Each structure stands twice: as structure tokens, then as C-alpha cells.
Amino acid sequence: MRAPVAIALAAALAAAAPAAAQPMPQAEVLGRWKAPEAVQGVAVDARHFYAVANSRIGKYDKATGAKVAEWSGDRDRFPHINSCAVIGRELVCAASNFPETPMTSSVEIFDPRRMVHLRTISLGQQIGSLTWVDRRDGAWWAAFANYDGKGGEPGRGHAHTQLVRFDDQWRRTEGWSFPASVTARFAPMSSSGGVWGADGRLYVTGHDHAELYVLDLPKGGSKLDHVATIGAAIEGQAIAIDPVRRDVLYGISRPNREVVALRLPAIPPR
């Protein structure tokens, strides 16, 4: 084979070969604290974090990790608090009747200072099981999970998980599905946590994998854009952004009953 032809062929083969996989960015572990309630997730404010376990919430000092208060509810009335978020002066929690069916959901509101339950917003039967709630741009954002097995309903599986935007009267105004690259990692469960980051992107977890999925609202269509996946020393479950240090995310290690603080890596703009 003549040299110019060989060189041209080599260049063509190199161009056709798949690009080398980029290393997954990693979140840096900043701290770990034992918390027996670290089963479903964590919420955080300026001075405290709140570990969530179905019908219990533990309040902890962020500086020392010492437990300072707790709330415990009736398990029949509060069988499955999935996550909580400190929004304004309230602790806003997503709750469901998992694993019972048909799926029903509610938003449970607490006073984080006194650790008392204030009120319930019943959403009844929706398009899945409410797993997390956040607030942004004057609206409520909520994820409704669907499952392949336990807790699922016929005709809907993990790929039917949706993000829904509500107005202040909890009327649905818009909704999006998750891309297959993310729902494949949810399987056979669903999204357990989600929060809007300081960069205006959505950070989402599944149920088990040590990963965060970074998503954008699409410029067209009804499916969220998968921007990046971040490795994180947490196994899914509910997460929270620190309101003081907005590059710090709190999550849990469910097997170890720990709350974990992580510094997020910078994700370049698209």
C-alpha cells in the first residue's frame, strides 16, 4: 500500500473510532455524621441538617453533628416520608403510602424550629408516588415515582417517572419525563431525590447508585436533557443543597446510616 493511501486510511479509521470515555466527575466528601434516621434522605438549613426516616425526622447541629431535636409521627398516618426540604421558614416534606397501592401522595409541612407538624396538603392519587419537592421561580417542582415491582401499579414502570411543576394552589402547569440514560439507572425503582442547584440545573438521585444526574429543562419537547453524571459517596435517596455554601450538597449513606456533605464539581455550560 502506498504511503499516502495508508496515511489516509489510518486517519479515516481514527475518525470513525468511538471517542474514549470521559472520566466521571466526582463529588468531594467534606464530612460524615452518624444519624440513625438517615434512611430516606436529608434536608439542610444554615445551622442544621434533618435526617429523614419514614415517620421520624432527626434534627442535628451542622457544626458538631450532635442531635438537638426530633419529630416522631404515627406510622399509620405517616407511613413513608420520602424527603424533606427547608423552604422559607418551613420544612416541606414529600410523603406517600408506599408500598401500598393505589398510590397516594401528600405534602407534609413542619416547623423546623419547634419540630412540630403544621399541616398537610393532600394530593391524593397522581401519576405516581411523590418522592421529592423543591421550590424555584415562584413554583413548586415535584417528582412522581413509578416502580417495576413492589409499590408499582400495572401499566407503569420506572420509565414513567415524571417531573411536574405546580402553581401555588398545587395545580399542574407543566411536566417532563426523564431521559432513558437516567431512567435506566433508576431501574427497577425510581428517583428518590432532587434539588435545583445554584447553577440553575436540576440534580437528581435514583434509589441505589452512588451517582448524581445533572439535568436541564429542554429548549423544546417534553423530555429533560441529561447534562452529566457525577460520582458521589451516597447511595441514591433524597438530597439537599446547603443554603450557605451553594456548591455543597448533603445526602445520605443509607447502609451506614450517615449524613454526607459533598462539594460538587463544576459542570461546564453546554
Side-chain angles (χ1 to χ4, degrees):
M1 183 181 293
R2 289 181 297 175
V5 176
I7 293 171
L9 179 59
L13 291 173
Q22 296 297 312
M24 183 186 298
Q26 300 290 314
E28 176 190 358
V29 175
L30 300 178
R32 294 177 179 270
W33 301 270
K34 288 291 184 181
E37 304 90 354
V39 175
Q40 297 296 341
V42 63
V44 62
D45 61 23
R47 295 181 54 191
H48 302 95
F49 62 79
Y50 304 82
V52 181
N54 295 320
S55 57
R56 294 184 296 128
I57 304 171
K59 180 178 180 179
Y60 292 79
D61 185 283
K62 280 170 62 177
T64 65
K67 188 172 183 177
V68 297
E70 68 174 38
W71 171 85
S72 182
D74 180 351
R75 292 185 180 181
D76 290 333
R77 192 174 297 276
F78 304 99
H80 204 82
I81 296 178
N82 289 294
S83 67
C84 296
V86 179
I87 299 175
R89 296 184 178 182
E90 297 180 325
L91 189 62
V92 180
C93 301
S96 70
N97 65 338
F98 181 88
E100 295 182 11
T101 56
M103 299 177 182
T104 61
S105 300
S106 64
V107 180
E108 304 296 341
I109 311 295
F110 296 83
D111 177 349
R113 185 178 62 85
R114 297 180 293 136
M115 291 301 288
V116 295
H117 182 257
L118 298 177
R119 63 189 184 278
T120 296
I121 302 164
S122 177
L123 302 181
Q125 295 184 35
Q126 295 282 330
I127 54 172
S129 183
L130 180 67
T131 52
W132 56 264
V133 172
D134 200 7
R135 179 87 177 168
R136 178 177 179 250
D137 295 340
W140 295 103
W141 303 76
F144 289 91
N146 284 280
Y147 310 100
D148 294 351
K150 180 181 178 182
E153 293 184 346
R156 293 205 303 259
H158 70 275
H160 290 82
T161 298
Q162 290 192 41
L163 172 69
V164 177
R165 185 176 66 190
F166 292 94
D167 65 15
D168 283 335
Q169 286 70 50
W170 290 92
R171 295 173 298 203
R172 178 179 173 134
T173 60
E174 211 163 358
W176 297 265
S177 63
F178 288 83
S181 57
V182 173
T183 58
R185 302 297 287 168
F186 290 168
M189 300 299 285
S190 189
S191 175
S192 293
V195 63
W196 287 104
D199 57 1
R201 285 172 162 158
L202 191 63
Y203 288 75
V204 170
T205 54
H207 190 268
D208 303 294
H209 293 301
E211 298 170 346
L212 300 165
Y213 311 108
V214 187
L215 301 158
D216 276 341
L217 294 177
K219 296 186 183 301
S222 57
K223 186 176 295 183
L224 297 167
D225 291 336
H226 184 190
V227 176
T229 298
I230 298 171
I234 56 177
E235 294 82 22
Q237 305 306 316
I239 53 177
I241 294 288
D242 191 312
V244 178
R245 300 175 61 187
R246 298 284 289 167
D247 64 337
V248 174
L249 179 142
Y250 279 67
I252 67 167
S253 173
R254 183 172 182 163
N256 298 318
R257 296 295 192 269
E258 288 180 334
V259 169
V260 184
L262 305 163
R263 179 182 288 116
L264 295 171
I267 303 298
R270 300 182 72 190

